[in-house]
Amino acid sequence: MPREEYQQALADLRGDVRGLGETTLDQLDDGLAAQATGDEDLARAVIEGDAAVNDRYLELESDCIDLLALQQPVASDLRFVAASFKILTDIERVADLATNLGRYALTAERDRFETVEVELIGEMAREQVADALAAYRESDSEAARRVVTRDDDLDALCQRASEGVVRDLIGREAGADGWAAERVMDDVSRLLLTVRDLERVGDHAVNIAARTVYMVEGDPELLH
Amino acid sequence: MSDTDTTPTISTAVEGSISDTDRAASASDRDVIESRGLDVHYGDVQALQDVDLAIPERRVTAIIGPSGCGKSTYLRCINRMNDLVEAATIEGELLFDGTDVYGEDVDPVALRRRIGMVFQHPNPFPKSIYDNVAYGLRVQNRKVTDERVRTALERAALWEEVNDQLETSALDLSGGQQQRLCIARAIAVDPDVLLMDEPASALDPIATSKIEDLIEELAEDYTVVIVTHNMQQAARISDRTAVFLTGGELVEYDDTQTIFENPAHDRVEDYITGKFG
């Protein structure tokens, strides 16, 4: 095939984005596990691991710019490089949010809000990212569209969880043990932040999926 | 109108040339050139195969494709330059302003007054800069005035560089300046269409960028059809792109953005991404 160096650079980029995606999924898994188990070592490892993700992200962003400047890709190649360039940012943001989970794990006092389904939300958000990255890897726009559609379920679950926490807080305020609400304020903030961050993880999965649809089909509709 | 011009259908509008106001008034998205089922053979070799193509007025339309795909042949059909090739046979229809340019009553010389051409290598005459522009006016029996020469040089973005040396030889100009002089010579007679066959392929990047800027400006007043091997050039300057592939087949024709971002045909995709071969 002609332009072998160029074809190799495109293949390398696809593999590299996939590699950064896998690293980020590991970070997310560890962040969620640290939250669930209170494993402080794991939480610290997630926080420290973010620097490597950031460095790799910057390297791959630079590779995309080199491809655009030196090879001037067009058509499906252009859409692939443009989508990858943006998907890299979403992957890096997911890793940032995994780092947040590690930070919350270091300070959390658990078991005060057993009714909040944080682990379920985390699992759903994680699956969304994994499915979006798989859709990108396989250039499967149908799978990517399913990720976009499923985001409503995750959003609904997040909203229900946030409302549950607030309702619980109001209940404590109104109850006999009025100062109990004051005591759990830190946990409330952390829980709400966790839920918000996991919802954002889901949003980044949607971005990855939407850019995959653009990459495969050339249809930018989902990007808007 | 000259005595030799006997066709009432393709008016040459000699002295009463189309003014800017007229052009603005007639601005539309209409197609000014249209081919239907155009076949061209050079002897036994088929150069164009059943080409349907409609070229919009006052836009830049690029024709791209590999060597031997028929893109220059198509360009030369538009102003009947292929008439000069004895072995060429042309079938199908090619309409300019709704009139078949191969109709029996069409005078090719009159046609070429309205459809000018710029070639790959700048070909100024060994005369002064002024006379090169005036030449086009003279051969078409149009009055040569300093104003017309100046206007043509201004429209070709050359006036500022040559206004104090109009009597020097055109051959002393740089390649890029010579090409702009050829464009000035072509537009001096106020054509409707400018055909350009690889107009920047012999020029350096700076001269090329000047020609590209000029082409975009010219499209405000003229319909420009450009054949180019340089796909990035087609992407930069054209509104519509036609992709011809081997065998003289027009495989895809669409907005330039669509061709370079999301072409419909795999063969076009392979060609523009360099996966052919």
Side-chain angles (χ1 to χ4, degrees), chain A residues 62-137:
Chain A
S62 176
D63 288 349
C64 289
I65 291 168
D66 287 348
L67 263 168
L68 292 168
L70 304 178
Q71 301 289 354
Q72 289 131 34
V74 292
S76 62
D77 292 348
L78 173 67
R79 300 200 307 274
F80 164 67
V81 177
S84 300
F85 187 75
K86 295 291 287 179
I87 284 171
L88 281 167
T89 306
D90 284 302
I91 292 174
E92 191 273 335
R93 294 279 152 76
V94 170
D96 287 345
L97 294 166
T99 307
N100 285 357
L101 298 179
R103 291 206 177 90
Y104 305 149
L106 285 180
T107 53
E109 287 180 48
R110 284 163 297 111
D111 302 331
R112 291 222 173 123
F113 292 92
E114 289 124 358
T115 52
V116 177
E117 302 159 301
V118 173
E119 283 175 29
L120 176 62
I121 293 171
E123 225 169 83
M124 278 183 72
R126 193 259 180 220
E127 282 312 300
Q128 285 284 82
V129 175
D131 289 352
L133 287 170
Y136 165 82
R137 191 176 63 234

Side-chain angles (χ1 to χ4, degrees), chain A residues 23-42:
Chain A
T23 305
T24 295
L25 270 181
D26 289 345
Q27 287 280 95
L28 188 56
D29 283 338
D30 289 349
L32 290 166
Q35 273 234 320
T37 62
D39 182 337
E40 295 193 355
D41 289 340
L42 191 58

